[in-house]
Amino acid sequence: MSHAATKWAFDQPELHRDMKPSEWAVLMVLADCHNPVNGCFPSQDYICSKTNLAERAVRDQLTHLRERGLIDWDAVRENGKRGSNRYRLGFEPDFQPANSAGSSEPAATGEIEPVQPADSDSFNRQNLPPNLVREPVSEPVEREREREPEDRKTVERWLKRVHPTWPTFVADSGKTALAAALALTAEEREVAADRVADYLAAEKASGGRCAFGVYLSEKRWERLGPKPQAPEKPAYAPAFGPVWAAIRMRDLVTGPKAQPSPLKGWEESAIATGRLDRETLEKGNRMRAGWPMVNALHQAAETRGLGIHGYGPDAERLGKLCEFVPVGSDVWKAWKIEHEMRGWPWLPDPGTMRGVYFPAGGPAGLEAFEQAVRGNHDDASGRDAAE
C-alpha cells in the first residue's frame, strides 16, 4: 500500500464532484494496490472482489477514470500470455494521461487493452519478460487475500444491520452501498451508523433525501455539528449510604422545621384516663412535625428501599465525613441513645444490611460534622424528595 496513493485517491471526489461511488471505489482499490517500487498490478477479478462490482462495470469505471485523466495502463505479457495490467496513477511524477483517452472501448473479455500504436516503444516492452510482482507485493497481497473474506463479511454484516434503517433502503442499490462501505475504515463505518438518526432528522427538516451509498461515499455525517451529549442522569444516593446519611444528619442537626401541633381531644382523654403517656405523645409529635424530610427518607427506605435522587456537591462532601457503623455495635447503640436524647427520629429497620453510615467519630464527633454543615448549608439539594 502507498499512503501517497491513498491520500491522492481520497481527495478526488472533492475535485470531481460528479464522480460516482462505484468509480471512486475502483480508484481506491488501485491506490490500495499501488506499490512505490513495483507499481500497481491488480487483476480485474481482484478489483471485482473488493468493490462487489461486475466485471463489465469495473471495466466501465476504469475507462471513466482514464477519461478523467486520473489513470492509464499498460498491458503486461508473461511467457507470451496476457497478464494483469500495469496501472499508472495520476499522482505519480512521470504520469501522462493517455493521448486517446476516451477514444477506445474496453475489450469485451479479459484485461483492458492499452490505447497506443502497435509499433510504440511501450508496445515492444510488453513482449519483454517483465520481472514484476503483481498486486503489488506478493507477501502483503497474500495476507490481504487471507483477510479479505473476513473483512468483506464484516462489512456485509454491518450493512445488513444499518442499511434497513435508511428510508430509501428498498430502492437503494445494495452493491453501491457495499462498495461505499468497503471504502470506509471500520471507525468511519461506526461513526456513520451512530450519526444516521441525526442526519435523517436534519434531512427531514430540510426536505432533502439521498441514497445510503451517497451518505457513505460523501461522508455526509461530517456535515453535521458535534453529536448532542446525552443528558446526565441525576446523581443517586442509596438508602443508608454515606451521602444519604449525610443529608439525613444535616437536616437533623439544623433543628426542627416546624412546631408540633397540639394534642387532639381523644389523646387528652386517653392521658386523663391513664391509657396514654403525655410525654410519649408530645415526643412523637415533635419528631413528625420537626423533621418531615427525614421521616420521608425513612419511609421511602423502609417501604421501597429507595434513596435520594439529585443531590448536590455539598452533600457529596458531607458524605465523605461519614463512616460505616455495623448494626448492633457499640457505636450503633451510642447513636441510638444520642437520637433519643435529642428527640430525633431513629432509623428504620435496615433489613439485610450489615450496617449504615453516620458522621465519623460517633456522637462525640458530631460537632465537627455540624461545623461542616454550617460552612456549606447553602446547598438546598439535601431537601430533595426521596425517590
Side-chain angles (χ1 to χ4, degrees):
M1 175 191 295
S2 166
H3 293 292
T6 304
K7 183 181 184 301
W8 169 79
F10 262 117
D11 294 338
Q12 297 315 304
E14 289 294 325
L15 302 176
H16 304 272
R17 294 188 177 277
D18 60 335
M19 181 179 288
K20 297 179 180 179
S22 55
E23 190 177 349
W24 186 48
V26 171
L27 184 62
M28 288 300 300
V29 173
L30 295 179
D32 187 59
C33 290
H34 181 271
N35 183 278
V37 176
N38 297 302
C40 180
F41 293 86
S43 66
Q44 287 188 25
D45 288 342
Y46 180 79
I47 299 174
C48 291
S49 69
K50 295 298 288 184
T51 60
N52 202 34
L53 295 173
E55 184 178 343
R56 179 54 188 267
V58 167
R59 293 201 300 271
D60 289 344
Q61 304 314 319
L62 289 170
T63 301
H64 295 158
L65 291 170
R66 184 182 60 189
E67 291 172 349
R68 291 184 187 275
L70 297 178
I71 68 169
D72 200 3
W73 55 79
D74 295 321
V76 175
R77 296 183 181 277
E78 297 179 358
N79 300 324
K81 296 182 180 180
R82 180 181 298 157
S84 298
N85 289 335
R86 194 290 192 194
Y87 293 93
R88 290 177 280 112
L89 307 185
F91 80 99
E92 296 179 83
D94 59 346
F95 175 81
Q96 291 184 354
N99 294 331
S100 55
S103 64
S104 64
E105 293 295 325
T109 59
E111 298 295 332
I112 299 176
E113 294 290 347
V115 182
Q116 50 192 263
D119 57 351
S120 69
D121 290 341
S122 58
F123 179 83
N124 294 331
R125 286 197 301 269
Q126 295 167 17
N127 296 316
L128 297 176
N131 186 21
L132 298 174
V133 182
R134 298 181 183 179
E135 302 173 5
V137 181
S138 59
E139 185 178 355
V141 169
E142 289 303 320
R143 290 200 297 266
E144 176 69 22
R145 286 174 176 169
E146 290 176 3
R147 294 196 302 267
E148 180 189 344
E150 179 182 355
D151 294 344
R152 185 184 184 86
K153 288 179 181 178
T154 299
V155 176
E156 288 175 344
R157 287 194 296 269
W158 177 87
L159 196 65
K160 187 176 181 180
R161 171 173 60 87
V162 179
H163 195 184
T165 65
W166 199 258
T168 61
F169 167 65
V170 176
D172 279 356
S173 167
K175 290 185 177 181
T176 301
L178 179 59
L182 286 167
L184 299 175
T185 65
E187 181 179 0
E188 287 173 332
R189 286 194 296 272
E190 291 310 309
V191 175
D194 185 53
R195 300 306 305 271
V196 162
D198 298 333
Y199 179 78
L200 291 177
E203 191 178 54
K204 184 177 180 180
S206 64
R209 174 170 292 186
C210 70
F212 191 60
V214 175
Y215 169 76
L216 296 178
S217 63
E218 297 184 1
K219 300 182 181 180
R220 291 200 174 188
W221 62 89
E222 294 181 347
R223 303 179 185 180
L224 302 171
K227 186 174 178 63
Q229 296 295 324
E232 294 184 3
K233 294 182 179 180
Y236 178 73
F240 305 109
V243 175
W244 184 91
I247 293 173
R248 173 183 177 274
M249 290 299 301
R250 181 177 62 186
D251 197 63
L252 291 175
V253 299
T254 52
K257 307 305 179 287
Q259 294 297 319
S261 57
L263 295 178
K264 297 178 175 58
W266 66 269
E267 292 175 317
E268 292 287 0
S269 299
I271 292 171
T273 59
R275 289 183 290 114
L276 293 176
D277 178 68
R278 179 179 296 277
E279 184 179 352
T280 302
L281 289 175
E282 290 179 345
K283 182 178 180 181
N285 278 355
R286 286 194 299 272
M287 288 183 181
R288 287 187 294 272
W291 293 277
M293 191 272 285
V294 171
N295 287 304
L297 290 182
H298 290 180
Q299 184 178 11
E302 185 173 30
T303 59
R304 294 180 291 168
L306 297 179
I308 300 174
H309 282 288
Y311 59 86
D314 286 342
E316 186 173 5
R317 284 193 291 270
L318 289 175
K320 295 178 181 179
L321 303 178
C322 296
E323 65 180 359
F324 181 79
V325 177
V327 174
S329 65
D330 290 341
V331 180
W332 168 277
K333 295 174 183 177
W335 274 115
K336 188 170 184 180
I337 293 172
E338 186 72 18
H339 279 62
E340 291 176 355
M341 291 174 53
R342 294 187 179 232
W344 291 344
W346 178 240
L347 291 170
D349 183 1
T352 59
M353 297 187 65
R354 295 185 299 107
V356 300
Y357 281 79
F358 285 100
L366 192 55
E367 182 177 353
F369 182 83
E370 291 185 57
Q371 291 177 354
V373 168
R374 286 193 291 271
N376 55 24
H377 188 55
D378 56 339
D379 177 23
S381 64
R383 298 182 184 277
D384 292 346
E387 249 228 54

